[in-house]
Amino acid sequence: MSATIETVRAAPGLAGYLEAVEERLAETVASHAGVVAEVGGDALSSGGKRLRPVLAFLSAPEDAEPPVTAGVAVELVHMATLVHDDLIDGARVRRGRAAAWTAHGVEAAQAAGDYLFARAFAELAAEGDEEAVATLADASLALARGEAMQRRQRHDPDTPVEEYLERCALKTGKLFEAACVLGGGSAAYGRLLGVAFQIADDILDCAGDTIETGKVPGADLRDGTPTLPLLLAARADEVVRAALAGGPLEGVLVRVAATGALERSRQIALDYARRAREALDGSDRRAALEALADAVVDRDA
């Protein structure tokens, strides 16, 4: 994985672009002093891969002005969803730190998530680009639909894999797509890459190292969220099936691994990554985008 990550990070101008995005994120989050800015600042300082701004940059033509506003806007939406998701899921930890709602309270976290969403659209609106605002609005609507779908699927081991993949496309793929489109690149690449990324995330939840991921493995199982590895394992193991439906959880992750579901899920993620690479057409930074498609699957965090 390190070689592909290095290929991405070596893209000319990327380091300076990410510095500019980080600076602007700090400015916009702090623009209205108060509790919501404080909570937003905590969310910002917890870090992250900044993958969506990276996508916006890599999707832009090399001779174009770096899409700093696009990168800031998509990252703000992503941050907002993390704050809200932790609250909805009851997750107490985010990237090894206390989640916003546990550190500041439920109401403050709700308000901060809304604030981050609003700041995202304020950034784009200031540019006067109605099409860009519409693109991000469409992605935000998809995020809400994906969250609603996840709530409906909770504790359902009979969730069709196709519906799980649709959820991935809505909850993750659509914002990846928006990042690419706002940068000037391929919508299909972003959407397919997002699905590959989410499947890889769900595999890590079953088998990842807490030190690397910053999360305790098994969160999806405890929450009853039917992910690809859990659904595939539930088809082969009645104990896994019962656990996903709300039954006892002890020893279940070991049983998930024993079914081969993790490797089968990885192969599906790799197929989405391959399709994402094939969706690239004439991009100035094609090598870096292709490397990124590999990196999102072969990672440990």
Side-chain angles (χ1 to χ4, degrees), residues 180-242:
C180 291
V181 170
L182 291 174
S186 167
Y189 170 83
R191 184 172 60 255
L192 293 164
L193 185 75
V195 176
F197 178 90
Q198 187 58 57
I199 295 172
D201 241 26
D202 294 342
I203 294 169
L204 285 171
D205 185 69
C206 291
D209 187 320
T210 301
I211 294 174
E212 295 289 345
T213 65
K215 295 180 283 188
V216 178
D220 291 328
L221 185 61
R222 290 190 296 275
D223 193 46
T225 301
T227 63
L228 183 59
L230 294 178
L231 288 171
L232 295 179
R235 293 177 177 180
D237 188 316
E238 284 300 320
V239 174
V240 177
R241 178 183 176 82

Side-chain angles (χ1 to χ4, degrees), residues 41-233:
D42 283 357
L44 179 60
S45 65
S46 69
K49 302 174 184 67
R50 303 294 188 246
L51 185 53
R52 291 147 193 86
V54 168
L55 277 172
F57 176 83
L58 295 179
S59 297
E62 289 184 333
D63 59 355
E65 190 73 21
V68 173
T69 299
V72 168
V74 292
E75 189 65 14
L76 286 168
V77 168
H78 175 57
M79 288 167 55
T81 63
L82 295 183
V83 171
H84 282 163
D85 283 355
D86 286 344
L87 181 56
I88 293 168
D89 297 338
R92 305 187 69 85
V93 177
R94 165 68 58 181
R95 295 173 184 145
R97 300 172 56 165
W101 71 273
T102 60
H104 299 276
V106 170
E107 292 184 358
Q110 288 175 330
D114 293 344
Y115 172 71
L116 293 171
F117 266 118
R119 292 308 308 162
F121 285 96
E123 289 296 307
L124 285 182
E127 300 275 299
D129 188 340
E130 292 182 7
E131 191 172 335
V133 172
T135 295
L136 193 62
D138 182 56
S140 298
L141 177 60
L143 289 167
R145 290 171 54 210
E147 184 61 37
M149 179 179 281
Q150 181 168 310
R151 294 298 100 188
R152 289 198 306 271
Q153 294 172 348
R154 193 177 184 194
H155 289 305
D156 183 7
D158 293 317
T159 299
V161 168
E162 293 75 18
E163 289 188 10
Y164 159 81
L165 293 171
E166 181 184 357
R167 191 181 84 216
C168 290
L170 290 170
K171 283 201 69 175
T172 308
K174 245 336 203 182
L175 195 53
F176 275 43
E177 176 184 315
C180 291
V181 170
L182 291 174
S186 167
Y189 170 83
R191 184 172 60 255
L192 293 164
L193 185 75
V195 176
F197 178 90
Q198 187 58 57
I199 295 172
D201 241 26
D202 294 342
I203 294 169
L204 285 171
D205 185 69
C206 291
D209 187 320
T210 301
I211 294 174
E212 295 289 345
T213 65
K215 295 180 283 188
V216 178
D220 291 328
L221 185 61
R222 290 190 296 275
D223 193 46
T225 301
T227 63
L228 183 59
L230 294 178
L231 288 171
L232 295 179

Side-chain angles (χ1 to χ4, degrees), residues 10-42:
L14 178 57
Y17 165 78
L18 288 176
E19 286 180 12
V21 166
E22 211 65 38
E23 210 173 290
R24 181 95 158 266
L25 281 170
E27 289 174 0
T28 193
V29 168
S31 60
H32 291 73
V35 174
V36 290
E38 181 185 345
V39 181
D42 283 357

